[in-house]
């Protein structure tokens, strides 16, 4: 892309999210979301293939519909309560419509169908942005309207997201689709704890962003988009596959890695609120996610995966992709569990 | 009166299909047209005589109907089962059974097989012609739909070991004042359907070459691949390549790498070319449009995909800044 266009798109993307994060008026929040959407559409269509254009069209349709629902909810709230402030969401119908709009924006079940398609249809870097940066603004809105959210709907959506995120990712060989289903499942965990302890939701979001960013950075460096390509990376980038092992196990929520912290604290919070059946279901469904992470780990680092060709290695070509902050992210993914008493104290 | 042969063929079809095609056509209209059309198409697409002159073609298309109708009159002792409710119930049960199979297959792995088996697969037969049910997976079409005079038929070959696509190509343009050109015949695979008629697609991302075992008559054919899409405008897009047949008595093995397929939209080859992505293939088609009037035939044994380890090309064409400056901005 033209560097000037690239700078304009990136700055619009960043400023759109920031406007939504800092706004207290519904119209400003909506404006930030729209700026976000318009900035990322050309980034999705960067390589101009029919698949990328289809992904951009699907993304635009979903996000535009969600923005319309958001405006409708805000207008409804204003009509009945006279309030434009984000935190003053007192009308139940408006709150419900707003929740649905944010679920569509986040790609949570039952509005999740676009996430794997759009993530698969574009390049790895844009998929990273869609799965990380684009989650910030809708989650910020949900964080602020938490007191007025319908409990039954958010918990149902959470369970459905975890189920669909785990079930859908089971048979995927394309890495972007695996990360998309992983995102759906993680959003489910965040939604489940949102109504009980919104701070934990933020912690889960922060750690999810770190894990996803690290995983995508490794995939971009290795230029792998499918499992079979990942099976060949042990020879070119042996350290990368070890790091990928740590990150995927962490995403699966295995102690003693950092990924155990959000799961443990969320389960603890739900049990404190006597929501034991749901906790049990969520813990069991998390095993589905762990299964396909482990399968990726088996394919890339733990075993010399059988290939159909005689060639057992890939020529290493030095790509100019830089791995920004990867050592920091990996350290956090690996070593953050002992810090959890401090987190408990803070929350 | 005209409905009598339809009703009789429908009763005959009840044993095979889930519901009587005549009753379904009457009551349910286009919704279950797919079930009607396959049985009707079989009788229309497989006449006993081949390559009729144009004057007799109309009569010959009707006579198999009449002949089959004569064969299908049941004896007075048999009572044909015609039950609309039972047909609907069977249909619903079939869809739920397919849904259950989808869940079970998803648990086992992609396409119902373990993942490592799918990942290590090097060759796969996708379409083969061993029985009438294999012909149901294909649709034949010609320029008759726009008023032309080409005819195309599909039937099983000798000993049910192949399919024979044959007919008569005519490039005489239809006299509708609009079309200037005509003359095509095509055989297109039906889109695979899952439960509740949801579209499915083929994932050929493990493979890199298309393989066809055919025996032709020396005419050049075009192989077209379409991708699965939710957007209507993309239904006009396809990826094509040529298949030149020899006329000999020996079977011909045609191997076309997927990197060679070029992109076309609405029948026109585009300047901006894109690689064929293999994870969502919807259908394959074989088209004959070589502007040569006369009879043609193509015998197909099977169509498959395989991985050619010697073929490392990813995409055979490149985009040029002169033709497409927009792509290079």
């Amino acid at each position: 892309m033209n560097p000037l266009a690239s700078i304009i798109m990136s700055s619009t993307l960043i400023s759109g999210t920031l406007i939504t994060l800092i706004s207290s008026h519904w119209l400003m929040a909506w404006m930030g979301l729209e700026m976000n959407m318009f900035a990322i559409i050309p980034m999705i269509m960067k390589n101009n293939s029919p698949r990328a254009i289809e992904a951009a069209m699907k993304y635009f349709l979903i996000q535009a519909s969600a923005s319309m629902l958001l405006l409708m909810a805000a207008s409804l709230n204003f009509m009945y309560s006279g309030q434009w402030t984000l935190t003053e969401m007192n009308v139940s119908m408006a709150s419900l419509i707003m929740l649905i709009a944010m679920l569509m924006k986040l790609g949570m079940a039952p509005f999740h169908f676009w996430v794997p398609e759009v993530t698969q249809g574009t390049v790895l870097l844009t998929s990273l942005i869609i799965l990380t940066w684009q989650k910030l603004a809708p989650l910020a809105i949900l964080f602020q309207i938490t007191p007025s959210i319908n409990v039954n709907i958010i918990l149902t959506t959470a369970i459905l997201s975890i189920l669909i995120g785990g079930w859908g990712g089971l048979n995927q060989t394309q890495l972007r689709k695996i990360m998309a289903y992983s995102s759906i499942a993680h959003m489910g965990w965040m939604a489940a704890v949102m109504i009980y302890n919104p701070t934990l939701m933020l912690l889960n979001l922060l750690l999810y962003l770190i894990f996803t960013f690290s995983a995508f950075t490794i995939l971009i460096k290795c230029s792998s988009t499918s499992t079979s390509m990942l099976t060949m990376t042990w020879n070119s980038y042996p350290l990368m596959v070890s790091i990928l092992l740590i990150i995927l196990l962490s995403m699966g929520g295995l102690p003693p890695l950092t990924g155990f912290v959000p799961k443990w604290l969320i389960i603890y919070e739900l049990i404190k609120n006597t929501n034991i059946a749901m906790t049990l279901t969520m813990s069991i469904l998390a095993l589905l996610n762990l299964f396909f992470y482990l399968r990726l780990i088996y394919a890339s680092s733990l075993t010399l995966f059988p290939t159909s060709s005689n060639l057992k290695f890939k020529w290493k070509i030095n790509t100019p992709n830089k791995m920004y902050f990867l050592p920091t992210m990996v350290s956090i993914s690996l070593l953050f569990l002992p810090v959890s008493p401090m987190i408990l104290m803070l929350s | 009166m005209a409905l009598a042969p339809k009703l009789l063929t429908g009763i005959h079809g009840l044993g095979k299909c889930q519901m009587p095609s005549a009753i379904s056509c009457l009551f349910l209209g286009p919704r279950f047209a797919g079930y009607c059309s396959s049985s009707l198409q079989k009788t229309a697409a497989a006449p006993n005589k081949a390559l009729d002159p144009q004057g007799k073609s109309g009569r010959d298309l009707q006579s198999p109907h009449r002949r089959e109708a004569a064969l299908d009159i049941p004896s007075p002792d048999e009572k044909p089962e015609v039950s609309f409710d039972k047909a609907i119930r069977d249909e619903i049960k079939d869809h739920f059974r397919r849904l259950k199979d989808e869940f079970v297959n998803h648990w086992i792995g992609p396409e119902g097989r373990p993942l490592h088996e799918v990942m290590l697969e090097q060759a796969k037969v996708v379409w083969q012609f061993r029985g009438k049910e294999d012909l149901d997976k294909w649709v034949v079409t010609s320029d008759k739909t726009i008023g032309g005079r080409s005819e195309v038929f599909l039937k099983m070959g000798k000993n049910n070991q192949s399919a024979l696509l044959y007919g008569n190509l005519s490039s005489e343009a239809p006299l509708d004042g609009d079309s200037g050109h005509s003359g095509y015949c095509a055989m297109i695979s039906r889109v695979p359907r899952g439960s509740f008629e949801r579209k499915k697609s083929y994932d050929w991302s493990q493979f890199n070459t298309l393989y066809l075992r055919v025996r032709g008559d020396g005419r050049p054919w075009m192989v077209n691949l379409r991708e699965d899409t939710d957007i209507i405008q993309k239904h006009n897009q396809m990826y094509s390549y040529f298949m030149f047949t020899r006329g000999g008595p020996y079977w011909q093995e045609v191997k076309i790498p997927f990197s060679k397929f070029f992109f076309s939209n609405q029948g026109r080859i585009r300047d901006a070319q894109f690689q064929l992505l293999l994870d969502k293939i919807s259908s394959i088609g074989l088209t004959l449009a070589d502007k040569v009037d006369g009879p043609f035939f193509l015998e197909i044994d099977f169509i498959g995909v395989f991985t050619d380890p010697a073929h490392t090309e990813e995409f055979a064409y490149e985009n040029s800044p002169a033709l497409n400056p927009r792509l290079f901005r």
Side-chain angles (χ1 to χ4, degrees):
Chain A
M1 209 191 260
N2 186 6
L4 182 62
S6 205
I7 290 169
I8 291 172
M9 294 303 156
S10 312
S11 56
T12 313
L13 191 68
I14 293 168
S15 53
T17 302
L18 288 177
I19 285 170
T20 307
L21 290 178
I22 63 173
S23 65
S24 55
H25 196 285
W26 275 117
L27 285 181
M28 283 293 284
W30 170 78
M31 195 180 80
L33 286 169
E34 291 293 288
M35 282 170 68
N36 224 354
M37 177 184 69
F38 283 123
I40 204 161
I41 297 290
M43 291 170 82
I44 295 173
M45 283 171 48
K46 199 161 40 169
N47 63 352
N48 252 308
S49 68
R51 186 65 62 82
I53 294 170
E54 181 174 352
M57 281 173 75
K58 282 181 182 167
Y59 187 80
F60 169 74
L61 287 170
I62 294 287
Q63 301 287 314
S65 316
S67 294
M68 279 194 289
L69 282 175
L70 183 150
L71 261 189
M72 180 177 153
S75 311
L76 209 62
N77 189 47
F78 178 67
M79 192 167 86
Y80 285 108
S81 66
Q83 295 283 347
W84 275 118
T85 320
L86 256 74
T87 48
E88 302 291 331
M89 196 93 193
N90 301 319
V91 182
S92 58
M93 177 58 77
S95 169
L96 176 66
I97 296 172
M98 184 63 67
L99 175 64
I100 291 171
M102 292 303 109
L103 294 179
M104 283 173 77
K105 288 254 179 208
L106 288 169
M108 288 177 63
F111 310 107
H112 64 280
F113 294 98
W114 63 270
V115 183
E117 304 282 322
V118 171
T119 321
Q120 176 67 20
T122 181
V123 295
L124 279 165
L125 183 62
T126 317
S127 305
L128 167 64
I129 297 171
I130 290 169
L131 293 181
T132 53
W133 186 257
Q134 298 295 87
K135 309 282 182 190
L136 292 178
L139 280 171
I141 292 176
L142 276 179
F143 183 85
Q144 294 179 72
I145 64 169
T146 305
S148 55
I149 290 177
N150 188 322
V151 173
N152 296 327
I153 292 182
I154 193 84
L155 290 180
T156 312
T157 310
I159 277 281
L160 266 180
S161 300
I162 299 171
L163 173 64
I164 287 169
W167 183 256
L170 277 181
N171 283 331
Q172 303 297 338
T173 49
Q174 298 292 327
L175 295 174
R176 285 167 289 181
K177 274 194 174 168
I178 288 176
M179 297 307 293
Y181 283 108
S182 157
S183 158
I184 295 170
H186 277 101
M187 290 296 125
W189 280 89
M190 286 181 224
V193 81
M194 196 183 308
I195 39 174
Y196 300 118
N197 192 344
T199 318
L200 267 182
M201 187 264 287
L202 289 180
L203 172 73
N204 196 353
L205 173 67
L206 178 66
L207 290 175
Y208 160 74
L209 291 178
I210 291 171
F211 301 147
T212 309
F213 185 84
S214 317
F216 266 100
T217 310
I218 293 171
L219 297 181
I220 290 169
K221 180 66 182 172
C222 303
S223 305
S224 313
T225 53
S226 73
T227 314
S228 50
M229 289 164 84
L230 209 57
T231 57
M232 304 281 227
T233 50
W234 63 270
N235 192 59
S236 324
Y237 303 99
L239 193 55
M240 290 285 147
V241 293
S242 318
I243 293 171
L244 189 65
L245 185 151
I246 294 166
I247 289 166
L248 287 174
L249 284 176
S250 203
M251 282 171 88
L254 285 186
L257 301 171
T258 311
F260 181 60
V261 173
K263 291 205 162 51
W264 161 40
L265 294 176
I266 288 170
I267 289 170
Y268 181 57
E269 195 65 39
L270 285 172
I271 290 177
K272 260 200 309 189
N273 287 280
T274 63
N275 204 344
I276 298 172
M278 180 152 166
T279 313
L280 186 63
T281 317
M282 282 164 62
S283 315
I284 291 171
L285 292 175
L287 292 173
L288 291 172
N289 273 50
L290 185 63
F291 177 71
F292 60 77
Y293 294 147
L294 270 176
R295 181 186 274 161
L296 274 183
I297 292 167
Y298 262 66
S300 61
S301 35
L302 282 186
T303 59
L304 190 62
F305 201 77
T307 57
S308 52
S309 71
N310 289 330
L311 201 64
K312 294 292 180 200
F313 60 89
K314 212 164 57 166
W315 290 108
K316 180 178 172 182
I317 301 164
N318 274 327
T319 54
N321 298 321
K322 297 278 185 286
M323 294 162 296
Y324 297 108
F325 307 115
L326 188 62
T328 317
M329 303 289 182
V330 172
S331 309
I332 295 172
S333 309
L334 183 60
L335 299 168
F336 208 59
L337 185 60
V339 180
S340 47
M342 188 184 81
I343 300 167
L344 281 168
M345 211 171 66
L346 285 173
S347 66
Chain B
M1 190 58 205
L3 287 173
K6 262 194 191 168
L7 192 63
L8 290 165
T9 50
I11 292 164
H12 176 69
L14 179 60
K16 290 183 213 165
C17 303
Q18 287 300 324
M19 49 196 235
S21 51
I23 293 173
S24 66
C25 285
L26 281 172
F27 286 101
L28 294 169
R31 190 163 181 84
F32 289 99
Y35 294 92
C36 294
S37 61
S38 63
S39 52
L40 286 174
Q41 263 191 0
K42 267 193 278 189
T43 50
N48 291 325
K49 288 182 192 163
L51 307 174
D52 301 317
Q54 285 176 3
K56 291 185 191 167
S57 60
R59 267 188 287 139
D60 276 334
L61 278 171
Q62 298 234 349
S63 52
H65 267 290
R66 274 192 236 116
R67 250 178 281 151
E68 288 217 22
L71 286 169
D72 284 346
I73 295 173
S75 69
D77 297 336
E78 287 178 20
K79 279 189 185 164
E81 296 174 43
V82 176
S83 167
F84 180 65
D85 292 335
K86 183 174 181 300
I88 290 287
R89 271 199 303 272
D90 287 343
E91 188 69 26
I92 292 171
K93 273 189 213 166
D94 179 52
H95 279 299
F96 277 107
R97 184 187 50 80
R98 279 200 244 171
L99 187 66
K100 186 207 75 168
D101 289 340
E102 272 178 27
F103 276 109
V104 170
N105 288 343
H106 188 85
W107 181 253
I108 298 169
E111 303 159 23
R113 295 178 299 150
L115 184 70
H116 63 270
E117 195 182 301
V118 171
M119 279 179 69
L120 293 175
E121 202 173 27
Q122 283 186 285
K124 185 163 96 167
V125 172
V126 186
W127 291 281
Q128 60 178 1
F129 298 95
R130 296 292 180 267
K132 289 257 185 277
E133 62 277 358
D134 295 321
L135 289 181
D136 279 345
K137 296 178 191 166
W138 293 83
V139 173
V140 289
T141 180
S142 69
D143 61 1
K144 237 185 189 143
T145 53
I146 58 165
R149 292 177 184 275
S150 307
E151 284 167 346
V152 61
F153 308 103
L154 180 66
K155 69 171 187 180
M156 289 304 296
K158 275 188 191 169
N159 297 325
N160 279 354
Q161 291 299 311
S162 60
L164 183 64
L165 179 72
Y166 65 97
N168 197 41
L169 190 73
S170 164
S171 55
E172 190 181 323
L175 301 168
D176 54 1
D178 189 28
S179 319
H181 307 280
S182 183
Y184 70 88
C185 294
M187 176 173 136
I188 306 164
S189 70
R190 288 185 195 270
V191 177
R193 299 274 175 172
S195 59
F196 303 104
E197 297 302 310
R198 286 178 299 151
K199 282 189 300 179
K200 290 198 297 190
S201 58
Y202 300 102
D203 181 7
W204 294 343
S205 42
Q206 322 291 335
F207 311 105
N208 66 1
T209 312
L210 182 70
Y211 183 101
L212 302 103
R213 189 161 189 262
V214 297
R215 191 158 52 186
D217 56 352
R219 298 187 95 159
W221 291 76
M222 197 110 152
V223 180
N224 308 313
L225 289 170
R226 286 176 198 265
E227 281 187 336
D228 183 23
T229 178
D230 298 315
I231 295 169
I232 296 172
Q233 286 79 6
K234 281 192 73 178
H235 288 148
N236 301 323
Q237 293 175 0
M238 63 185 182
Y239 296 82
S240 319
Y241 201 68
F242 312 103
M243 180 175 78
F244 296 100
T245 54
R246 299 192 294 260
Y250 301 109
W251 283 97
Q252 186 181 351
E253 295 168 355
V254 177
K255 295 175 205 165
I256 310 173
F258 290 121
S259 62
K260 301 286 187 195
F261 280 83
F262 54 85
F263 173 73
S264 63
N265 185 8
Q266 293 187 320
R268 295 172 197 276
I269 304 172
R270 298 292 161 170
D271 290 333
Q273 285 297 319
F274 307 109
Q275 187 182 5
L276 169 63
L277 297 171
L278 293 158
D279 56 340
K280 277 164 74 174
I281 301 288
S282 164
S283 70
I284 192 172
L286 295 162
T287 307
L288 178 69
D290 59 351
K291 302 178 195 168
V292 175
D293 293 357
F296 64 89
F297 76 88
L298 181 73
E299 203 175 343
I300 309 168
D301 184 3
F302 67 89
I303 298 174
V305 286
F306 73 100
T307 310
D308 183 0
H311 184 81
T312 52
E313 188 182 49
E314 287 188 3
F315 189 46
Y317 315 104
E318 57 180 18
N319 290 306
S320 142
L323 286 173
N324 281 298
R326 189 172 56 91
L327 293 177
F328 293 89
R329 243 180 258 147

